[in-house]
Amino acid sequence: MGVKEVLSSIRVPSILILGLVYVVYVLIGGVVFWKLEGDLGQKDITQLLLKKKRLFTSYTCLNQAGLEDVAQVVQAASKAGLSLKSNQTTDGFWKFTSSAVFAATVVTTIGYGNTSPSSTTGQIFCVFFALFGIPLNMVVLNRVGKYMLALERSISDFLEGKSGRKKCTRFFVHLVSYICGSVLFFVMPMIVFQLKEGWTYSQAIYYCFITLSTIGFGDFVAESNPDKDYPNWYSVLIASWIFFGLAWLSLLINHSIDILERLNNHFKQQLSSEKPEEEPSSAEDSDPHTEVEDETNKPPVTQ
């Protein structure tokens, strides 16, 4: 008995199969991250312990309590967006343009974590702002994604009317759309971030995907280096890129979901087409005498 026959005879609900695939996928990812990053994490801890030992050796007046005080000052300065390399005063993270970008990261659920409201009033406002802003953001992104899809279909229908080839035209339009979106929301921002932030290209493309997928680790955040002076247009550019990039990536994810659902339906049809035909359940249908009786009861055919 083949695999398809076994699956068709078992008749496992598709939700259980999907859940099993999801759990296995997550576990495989955990194993891969563990193998790739586990040893590096241990090496980083070892290096930090060595640096801590050298720090106590170099600055003999510094003890454990003093080191903790210094760490708190560094952490607070980093969260406020202030540089410890100079004595000049800056606006920190909470200038208007940066605050607008922070508001965008709240409603889009990116949440880098590099900065957050510290006052009680700001924290309470953040709760209600996110409570109403997240659904609003989802509705707007969904509407923008539908407009993008409608524009894509309009172009596809126009080209279909000119060429007369439906499948080839749709494939070509989807391919061009994916390439243009990748260039607009990944390649061009990667170049901008490499120039303005000083990141490598791999770090910039990594930041682009982590941001637009709303994962938001916070290990790389644009416009967060206190030693750099960013122009105001840079914040507007980042906020616009996040909004339209999220809409495009959600459209791409919807296309991927549609492809997976079609593959699932195709496999279901394949399994159902190979099921053995059911035998007649009625004894009357299989009785030859009944068939003969039916034939004799028929009226003669007249010419």
Side-chain angles (χ1 to χ4, degrees):
M1 182 179 291
V3 178
K4 293 182 178 180
E5 288 78 2
V6 173
L7 290 177
S8 62
S9 62
I10 295 176
R11 295 182 181 178
V12 179
S14 59
I15 185 64
L16 295 181
I17 298 177
L18 186 62
L20 179 62
V21 172
Y22 177 79
V23 171
V24 172
Y25 186 79
V26 171
L27 292 178
I28 291 175
V31 171
V32 173
F33 284 124
W34 174 41
K35 292 297 182 182
L36 292 177
E37 302 293 334
D39 294 337
L40 295 177
Q42 292 296 328
K43 291 180 181 179
D44 292 339
I45 294 175
T46 304
Q47 292 294 328
L48 287 174
L49 292 176
L50 289 175
K51 290 181 180 180
K52 178 182 177 181
K53 185 177 180 181
R54 292 173 185 172
L55 188 64
F56 284 138
T57 304
S58 302
Y59 302 95
T60 55
C61 60
L62 186 65
N63 55 14
Q64 182 65 34
L67 180 61
E68 292 176 359
D69 292 338
V70 172
Q72 290 179 359
V73 172
V74 173
Q75 184 178 7
S78 177
K79 187 175 180 179
L82 300 178
S83 175
L84 295 176
K85 294 182 179 181
S86 60
N87 293 325
Q88 62 181 4
T89 303
T90 61
D91 294 333
F93 285 146
W94 295 111
K95 57 184 181 180
F96 172 72
T97 53
S98 300
S99 300
V101 173
F102 170 77
T105 61
V106 171
V107 297
T108 55
T109 69
I110 296 175
Y112 291 120
N114 63 317
T115 184
S116 58
S118 56
S119 64
T120 303
T121 306
Q123 292 171 354
I124 295 175
F125 173 76
C126 184
V127 171
F128 288 97
F129 179 74
L131 184 63
F132 295 99
I134 292 174
L136 176 63
N137 176 75
M138 294 177 64
V139 171
V140 174
L141 286 181
N142 186 31
R143 184 62 60 87
V144 173
K146 287 182 177 180
Y147 276 119
M148 289 182 176
L149 183 59
L151 178 61
E152 185 178 326
R153 288 176 176 174
S154 299
I155 296 174
S156 178
D157 294 338
F158 174 77
L159 295 178
E160 284 176 13
K162 295 294 184 180
S163 62
R165 298 180 178 180
K166 183 175 181 180
K167 292 184 178 180
C168 295
T169 303
R170 287 188 178 275
F171 175 77
F172 176 76
V173 171
H174 286 319
L175 181 61
V176 172
S177 175
Y178 293 155
I179 293 175
C180 293
S182 300
V183 172
L184 184 61
F185 297 112
F186 282 94
V187 178
M188 293 179 61
M190 175 188 67
I191 297 174
V192 173
F193 292 138
Q194 194 275 332
L195 294 176
K196 299 298 294 183
E197 303 292 341
W199 299 335
T200 63
Y201 287 113
S202 60
Q203 292 172 340
I205 197 69
Y206 164 79
Y207 166 75
C208 289
F209 182 79
I210 294 300
T211 296
L212 295 185
S213 60
T214 69
I215 297 174
F217 288 130
D219 47 354
F220 292 94
V221 181
E223 202 185 14
S224 63
N225 190 345
D227 298 318
K228 291 182 177 293
D229 186 17
Y230 299 100
N232 292 329
W233 61 263
Y234 189 59
S235 300
V236 178
L237 182 65
I238 293 175
S240 303
W241 166 71
I242 289 175
F243 178 78
F244 290 102
L246 283 174
W248 175 81
L249 192 61
S250 63
L251 178 64
L252 181 62
I253 292 174
N254 287 333
H255 275 303
S256 302
I257 293 173
D258 183 58
I259 293 173
L260 290 176
E261 288 180 348
R262 289 184 180 183
L263 289 175
N264 184 33
N265 294 331
H266 175 72
F267 288 136
K268 282 184 177 180
Q269 291 177 359
Q270 289 292 108
L271 290 175
S272 61
S273 63
E274 295 186 3
K275 287 183 179 180
E277 297 183 357
E278 294 182 357
E279 298 294 333
S281 58
S282 175
E284 182 180 353
D285 296 337
S286 61
D287 190 356
H289 299 288
T290 305
E291 295 178 359
V292 174
E293 184 180 355
D294 292 337
E295 290 290 334
T296 57
N297 291 333
K298 290 181 179 180
V301 180
T302 58
Q303 297 294 335

